Structures are given as structure tokens and as C-alpha cells.
Amino acid sequence: MFSRFTQLARHLSRPLLNQAHRNAPSLAQPALNMTSSSSSVPSTQRSTIHTAGCIIIGDEVLGGKTVDTNSAYLAKFCFSIGLHLKRVEVIADDEDEIIEAAQRMSRNYDFVVTSGGIGPTHDDITYQSIAKAFNLELKLHEPTVAKMKKYSRPHKSQPNFSWDVPSPALTAKYRMALLPTDPDIPEEEQVLFVKEDLWVPISVVNRNIHILPGVPRIFETLLEGMRPRLIPRLADPEGKGMYRVLFSTPLAESEVAEYLTQLAEKVGPKGVKVGSYPRWGKARNIVTLVGKDVEYIDSLEAEVAQGVHGRRVSVEGEDDSGDEQDVHKDKDA
């Protein structure tokens, strides 16, 4: 078995050795002998996390074939634990694009999530591209292979598939277990399994890039599985999240703009952001206050309600009437 894995790893590595990026050396051949991943949170991963970034990878998103929902889910996830998501990018299945984005995002943000490009086909190049971005080897990760065998099932179009018989399908499956590997970082910090009965790993590169699949259900499951690992590393280790209140206003954005500018200057030093959102075709627009100081934000309710000639609401549109004849022409959208 070891010999067959080694031969397969060498076979999978050949295209990569001929595609060295102009700014990085070629990758060594994939190797084996990696130990099982741990579910504990290593001490070296306990540095405080303040900011997050997201890279959505996929020609199908840029081509309009698939609608990205993962970045929206990540945004809600970050908001819920009080982590500031600062940037979301959508890029092609292009090695140079992935390399540049991964290097820049890793420099700029504490917690980076990628979505997409880790399947079994030729255009799934996220692992190999991010490996090149940080001059890392790709290694066949045996625990991932073992979990893949245990929890995945061959497609109905593969009735004769065997884990013990070499085939193009087997080679394709093992592409998903070739992970970027840094010899200077413990394995438990590089490969995370956050759900016992799910074989898909979270590959962690350069200590802050977390490579996730693009399938929304799996993306969401893995992200939620990281929640208990992330919360202790937040500036607010209780993970209470951000606090947001909404105000419904009958005023046009241009009418309320001056007041909101003054309000933003007042509450900014307290870490509170003011937002204004037009609702096209509706009689009322929305103003928001977002921050972590719940008591302070709540203390502003009467003042803001008066300033926008409106009132606080629980959800957007709760005070819409059936008659929307009084629709503002000045939406400033």
C-alpha cells in the first residue's frame, strides 16, 4: 500500500514540476508519513484575530453560472462573533491570480478563508497555487485519505470503482488529499478536521489562510466547526459578536445625510458605525448603528429616532404599509 501511495503521489506531482510560478521555485514531489491531525487548538495558533478576508475562487462565479453564497455566509458568521470582515474578492481559477491574492490577503488580514477550487478536476488548482504562493510542497495526507475511504461513497456512475485498484478516478480523488505542507509547522496546525463524520479537511497555510471547498453546505459546516477554535483568539474572547440596531425613516437619503454625517462623527470614537440604506420602491429607508458597546448604542435610540424622523425597528420592512404611494423619488441609489 505504501508503495502504491508513493507511486501515485509522484504521478500527481509531475504537472506541478513543469508549472513553476515565475516568483516561486518548483515544488518537490509529494511525500507521505504525516501523522494524524489533532482537534486541539495549538498554543501557536492563539494569536489574537482582529480582521478577516475572503477569496472566492471560481470561473463559474465570474461567468455567472454560479451565484456565490459563501461570502455572505462568512460575513454573517464574522458579524456573529465580532470579527471584522474587511475584504471579499472573487477571482478566476488562475494560478497567478490565486498566488497574488493569497500572498496579499495573508499579509493584510489575520484570518483568511478561501472558497472553491479543491475538487478532483483539472481546473481545481487552489491547493497547488497556494502551495506555490508560499514555496511549499504538496504532500499526500494519509489521514485525509483514510477519512475519504471511510466516509465518501463512489458516484452511481462508478459502480466498479475500487480504492485498491489504480484508475483515473482514483487518481482524481487523491488530488483532493494533496495538501500544502510546511515542514516547520506542526501538522495539527496545518490540517484541521472539525467534524468527525466529514472527510474534507481544512488546510491551513501560512498560519492564517484556511482553504475550504466551494460547495455551500460543506463550506458552512466547516466554517461553523471552526467557531470554537476562533472565539478564544478574538479580541473579545467571549465571542459576543457585533450589535446592530435599525431605524426606519420616511426621509430621503439626501434629506438625512447631514444629520448622519454629524452622528457618525460623534459615535465614531466609540467604535460605532452609522449606515444608510435606500429601499427602492418602498416608502421608508433604513439607518443602522453597528458596534460592540450595546449600552451606548441603546442610549442613542431616542436621539437617532428624532434625528431621522423615524423609529427603531426589529427587522427591515416591519412598518411597511400596504400602500406604497408615498414612495420617495430621491433614493440616491
Side-chain angles (χ1 to χ4, degrees):
M1 180 63 71
F2 182 87
S3 176
R4 182 161 61 249
F5 276 156
T6 303
Q7 291 172 1
L8 176 62
R10 289 174 178 168
H11 170 71
L12 290 172
S13 73
R14 284 170 188 155
L16 299 180
L17 294 175
N18 295 324
Q19 297 176 8
H21 186 260
R22 60 177 176 269
N23 293 325
S26 61
L27 301 179
Q29 295 179 356
L32 296 172
N33 297 326
M34 299 187 75
T35 58
S36 299
S37 297
S38 169
S39 60
S40 62
V41 182
S43 59
T44 52
Q45 283 202 356
R46 295 187 184 276
S47 56
T48 303
I49 298 176
H50 298 278
T51 59
C54 177
I55 308 172
I56 304 296
I57 302 168
D59 292 339
E60 68 277 12
V61 178
L62 292 171
K65 180 181 180 297
T66 300
V67 176
D68 166 50
T69 60
N70 289 342
S71 61
Y73 193 92
L74 176 64
K76 293 177 182 178
F77 174 85
C78 290
F79 191 91
S80 73
I81 62 175
L83 178 58
H84 294 283
L85 179 61
K86 306 290 286 185
R87 191 175 188 86
V88 174
E89 294 186 9
V90 182
I91 64 175
D93 291 301
D94 178 271
E95 186 175 273
D96 288 351
E97 292 283 336
I98 297 171
I99 288 173
E100 188 279 329
Q103 292 174 337
R104 174 169 42 81
M105 291 282 233
S106 184
R107 287 195 306 268
N108 292 343
Y109 306 111
D110 304 320
F111 176 70
V112 179
V113 173
T114 75
S115 164
I118 60 173
T121 58
H122 70 285
D123 58 345
D124 292 310
I125 60 172
T126 297
Y127 282 149
Q128 71 183 51
S129 299
I130 293 181
K132 287 187 178 183
F134 298 97
N135 301 326
L136 302 178
E137 298 180 28
L138 287 180
K139 292 186 178 181
L140 192 63
H141 188 243
E142 289 185 285
T144 296
V145 172
K147 289 177 74 71
M148 189 187 301
K149 288 181 177 181
K150 183 176 181 179
Y151 294 113
S152 69
R153 297 291 181 269
H155 190 268
K156 62 182 180 180
S157 65
Q158 301 172 308
N160 299 319
F161 174 82
S162 171
W163 291 103
D164 299 317
V165 179
S167 66
L170 182 61
T171 299
K173 285 182 180 292
Y174 281 148
R175 280 173 56 89
M176 297 183 287
L178 280 170
L179 308 182
T181 304
D182 188 331
D184 297 324
I185 298 178
E187 183 197 347
E188 64 268 20
E189 298 182 29
Q190 299 188 68
V191 185
L192 309 178
F193 293 109
V194 297
K195 193 170 187 295
E196 175 57 36
D197 60 350
L198 183 62
W199 70 262
V200 183
I202 299 174
S203 176
V204 184
V205 176
N206 208 35
R207 298 189 185 275
N208 66 347
I209 296 181
H210 299 72
I211 305 175
L212 273 64
V215 178
R217 181 173 59 86
I218 302 177
F219 178 93
E220 294 167 11
T221 298
L222 294 179
L223 190 62
E224 291 295 340
M226 282 194 285
R227 186 185 292 266
R229 300 167 180 269
L230 293 173
I231 287 178
R233 300 174 56 199
L234 300 174
D236 174 12
E238 296 184 10
K240 293 180 179 179
M242 303 296 288
Y243 183 58
R244 173 163 46 205
V245 298
L246 290 73
F247 293 86
S248 173
T249 173
L251 302 180
E253 281 198 300
S254 56
E255 182 68 22
V256 78
E258 182 178 5
Y259 169 71
L260 294 185
T261 299
Q262 296 171 355
L263 178 64
E265 292 176 352
K266 172 184 175 179
V267 303
K270 295 281 192 177
V272 177
K273 287 190 173 183
V274 179
S276 175
Y277 304 96
R279 302 176 65 230
W280 188 259
K282 300 295 184 179
R284 293 178 174 274
N285 295 325
I286 288 290
V287 168
T288 64
L289 301 180
V290 176
K292 290 190 175 182
D293 192 332
V294 175
E295 184 177 352
Y296 177 66
I297 292 176
D298 283 343
S299 73
L300 298 170
E301 179 176 344
E303 173 190 337
V304 176
Q306 180 179 356
V308 301
H309 295 191
R311 70 184 186 90
R312 181 172 174 175
V313 294
S314 299
V315 295
E316 182 177 317
E318 75 172 34
D319 58 348
D320 286 347
S321 65
D323 182 3
E324 292 292 348
Q325 297 300 315
D326 184 26
V327 175
H328 300 292
K329 302 300 181 182
D330 181 10
K331 290 293 182 181
D332 300 335

